[in-house]
Amino acid sequence: QAILAQIVFDPRDLFAGGEPALPGMARSAASMFDPEVMAEMRRQFDAADKDGKGQLDATEICSLYARGCVEPGAGEEEVQKLADRLRCQMDTGRSGTISFDEYCFRFGR
């Protein structure tokens, strides 16, 4: 939960259809962000990567983020809808996991 407080996520960034909104995905994250930003994103990613495999489970992490973004008292359906849209946006390779680059393209600002 400590990670949620550090990540900037605005649900309005998601397209209504849940399509990816990651311009420049063909480039690596390192070529797009300052070293300080990369270091902070790496710290956050590594804190969420509990098993140390370098990938985050897309369903699990998107559900966690969605719960932190909806209004208090929101129903499970609203949480799931937001989590699904976020997963579609972040997991651009549709692998079921979120790589460090996918994470950076979504949360790097």
Side-chain angles (χ1 to χ4, degrees):
Q1 289 218 349
I3 292 173
L4 287 177
Q6 299 170 3
I7 294 177
V8 176
F9 172 66
D10 185 344
R12 294 171 295 183
D13 289 344
L14 296 175
F15 290 116
E19 290 301 312
L22 304 172
M25 188 64 188
R27 296 182 285 174
S28 75
S31 69
M32 297 184 65
F33 301 106
D34 293 332
E36 299 83 27
V37 172
M38 288 298 298
E40 176 59 19
M41 287 190 292
R42 172 54 74 183
R43 187 190 66 72
Q44 292 173 3
F45 184 88
D46 288 347
D49 183 17
K50 300 295 184 193
D51 63 8
K53 292 183 178 177
Q55 300 283 318
L56 304 177
D57 178 89
T59 300
E60 185 177 296
I61 202 75
C62 290
S63 292
L64 179 66
Y65 292 141
R67 287 193 191 291
C69 293
V70 295
E71 296 293 322
E76 186 62 31
E77 185 177 325
E78 184 177 346
V79 171
Q80 188 59 48
K81 184 176 178 180
L82 179 58
D84 289 345
R85 291 188 356 216
L86 180 57
R87 188 179 61 253
C88 285
Q89 185 185 47
M90 290 183 72
D91 185 15
T92 58
R94 303 300 185 253
S95 63
T97 60
I98 296 171
S99 68
F100 180 63
D101 275 352
E102 288 171 324
Y103 179 87
C104 290
F105 285 122
R106 177 60 191 94
F107 291 112
R109 302 251 182 213

